[in-house]
Amino acid sequence: MTGIATGPPVGQTRKPSRFRPWLLEGLVDKQGNHQGPGQVPQEEHKRHSWWKVMCLTGVDYFSTLGYQPGIAALAAGLLSPFATIVLILLTLLGALPVYRRVAKESPHGEGSIAMLERHLPKWAGKVFVLVLLGFAATDFLITMTLSAADATAHLVENPFIPESWSNHTLLITLLLLGLLAGVFLRGFTEAIGIAVVLVGVYLALNLVVVVVGLEHIITAPQVIPDWTSALFTSYGSPWLMVGIAVLVFPKLALGLSGFETGVAVMPQVKGEDGETEENPVGRIRGARRLLLTAAVIMSCFLITSSFITTLLIPQAQFQPGGEANGRALAYLAHEYLGNGFGTVYDASTILILWFAGASAMAGLLNLVPRYLPRYGMAPEWARAVRPLVLVFAAIAFGVTWAFDANVDAQSGAYATGVLVLMTSASVAVTLSAAQRGARRSAVGFGVISAVFVYTTIDNIVERPDGVRIASLFIVAIMVVSFWSRARRAFELRTDSITLDAKAASFFTDYVGRDVQLVAHDPEPEGHHSLAFKERQQRIENHIPAEDPVIFLEVTVTDASEFSTKLAVHGSIRNGRRVLEMSSPVVANSIAALLLHLRDDYRVKPNVYFGWTEGNPVANLLRFLFVGDGEIAPTTREVLRRAEPDRSVRPKVHVG
């Protein structure tokens, strides 16, 4: 007896798969389970005091203390404190004023990218945003991979961890990233509460290490003379030291990493009672306090940590393979406070670095759906959390593998992403000030922009790997975006349709009857040809005299927008009824209107076109990028996809 069972037993049905509904659960995370820097709370969602939200951005910003002093020592050597002072001046006099302005002009979490989008409309703005998203993806993804790699460095260097673990840093880093992805696949709540605890403990432990380090320097009088002697031996002149510090400070740019996140978390800040989303003055004030407080705290830690690590740690220990490489403050914690305190410090550092990756993941999960679906440049599943988690986790695995989980090797790419975003922010506020007529502000922000441009170019020249990685992200985003846009081009692309009273009156007496809509170019010189065109259409298409003829005019607006809210206006011109509407795309809006008339006004719409002259391929490209093109067949295709039942589908006539 032979045979193969190919289905369930008789009388039973195959259970539907649970994986797909779980994977695509809540295409938009309406429950707020995946809070992060870009999460926009629902109206009922609890907002928080600015200092608590500061801790959420602080897990990214403050966690750089885990590796920043070591990177600074590698970049500037004995001049690390001087280069750090330059960085602090740029922080307080450059980045802080810029992002305080961003907070005022973009208070809903969109950040500086949205400001530039407003200054660069249409396709130029969309393409520029895609480029910036590539750099933002570099910033956030390298935050995940670099933080996980540094967490691994703190783990394997702990004296209580078996020495053999140091041979498996790549595997440990991948496991940390996998754990991060698993948390987001499961659902992530109470992010702010966790951030407050982690940041509070971490800053307290760092304060202890800094105080002990300063005390040791003060009580060991030979430390400062030895350092100054080494400086003059190596560089000779104080002016040469300052000049070199100015030249090398761009390599310390990781110390600026928290500002973009700082404005992204603004929707979490509690404002004043009674304020509106249109004018959230309390939220803006709280966000500015957040930015100022975080910048001051970080500046204090940057200079003190750079000072004590440079003076107390032998330069050889900062090199790859050295005990202070990527963990300078942890080295001092073990050296001066013992392995017990050092282990507590390591645990706190590992947790905040891991949570910095969570903050970056949440930022990506909210940044991508905020722009790409609105442009029609992402598949529908890009609105769901879990598929994006899997995509970003896979990319993070690949980056970690490519860099062999090395902190120093990834710092260039990280700095490039950070600096490009900060440069774009400074340019955005400069353009905004110029547009407002604030000449002094425009000049001041212009100088800041020039400094950031120099810093970014210097970083790119010194470490071009950052641009290479960002370029890969940009190319990937471009390809996926335009492929998705083309693939979704035949959707209805209409969010809502409203007819004014005049337009609605055209259909009130024709329930259940055919109505004939004639497409007409919205050109003033064509107004007097409506009567002739009606006679022509009735003769050529045998339209019964008792069926109403209504002209339909669509004015193309910004063709780079994907969807629109259609507002249809009715008018009487030369005794003929005319429907007027504006839209980014002609064919899709006509198709959507026909279906709306069928369903809401219970008429049987027919639409009449003339053939479009020109090359069909060129017309298709015009449809994709300009909004018009081959209108008649495109309208029919949109209708075919939206309404599979031919018997009730509005009819398209071409003559």
Side-chain angles (χ1 to χ4, degrees), residues 164 190 312 352 355:
S164 59
E190 300 303 327
L312 297 178
I352 198 170
F355 206 76

Side-chain angles (χ1 to χ4, degrees), residues 209 212-213 305 308-310 312-313 327-338:
V209 175
V212 170
S305 64
I308 63 174
T309 53
T310 302
L312 297 178
I313 299 176
R327 54 186 300 277
L329 288 174
Y331 176 93
L332 292 180
H334 285 274
E335 185 74 16
Y336 294 111
L337 292 163

Side-chain angles (χ1 to χ4, degrees), residues 376-579:
M377 291 181 170
E380 190 63 25
W381 55 258
R383 296 181 182 272
V385 169
R386 291 187 176 110
L388 285 180
V389 169
L390 295 176
V391 170
F392 296 143
I395 296 173
F397 287 169
V399 170
T400 299
W401 188 283
F403 284 106
D404 197 27
N406 186 290
V407 174
D408 299 328
Q410 298 178 70
S411 63
Y414 187 19
T416 298
V418 170
L419 287 172
V420 168
L421 289 181
M422 301 195 82
T423 301
S424 69
S426 60
V427 171
V429 297
T430 302
L431 293 174
S432 176
Q435 191 176 57
R436 298 194 317 271
R439 183 173 299 179
R440 289 186 179 180
S441 296
V443 172
F445 286 129
V447 172
I448 295 172
S449 299
V451 174
F452 275 118
V453 168
Y454 156 73
T455 307
T456 304
I457 293 174
D458 182 86
N459 185 271
I460 290 172
V461 172
E462 182 71 22
R463 294 177 287 185
D465 54 315
V467 171
R468 295 193 190 104
I469 294 175
S471 299
L472 292 176
F473 285 123
I474 291 169
V475 170
I477 288 174
M478 290 282 191
V479 171
V480 171
S481 296
F482 284 104
W483 170 80
S484 177
R485 177 85 179 217
R487 188 171 179 269
R488 298 183 61 189
F490 295 99
E491 296 178 6
L492 290 175
R493 296 169 58 176
T494 303
D495 299 325
S496 63
I497 303 176
T498 55
L499 276 67
D500 65 11
K502 190 70 173 179
S505 68
F506 294 166
F507 306 97
T508 53
D509 296 330
Y510 295 94
V511 174
R513 291 179 52 186
D514 286 292
V515 292
Q516 321 295 341
L517 291 102
V518 177
H520 185 259
D521 291 333
E523 299 174 355
E525 59 268 22
H527 289 175
H528 298 291
S529 66
L530 295 180
F532 170 77
K533 191 164 186 176
E534 179 181 343
R535 289 194 300 272
Q536 183 185 45
Q537 290 292 334
R538 287 188 182 277
I539 294 171
E540 292 182 356
N541 292 287
H542 308 289
I543 299 175
E546 64 272 14
D547 286 349
V549 168
I550 301 171
F551 290 94
L552 178 58
E553 297 181 351
V554 183
T555 301
V556 177
T557 54
D558 182 358
S560 67
E561 292 293 330
F562 184 71
S563 60
T564 187
K565 295 180 179 180
L566 277 181
V568 185
H569 304 283
S571 65
I572 302 294
R573 294 208 305 265
N574 304 117
R576 299 299 186 272
R577 288 170 288 190
V578 181
L579 295 177

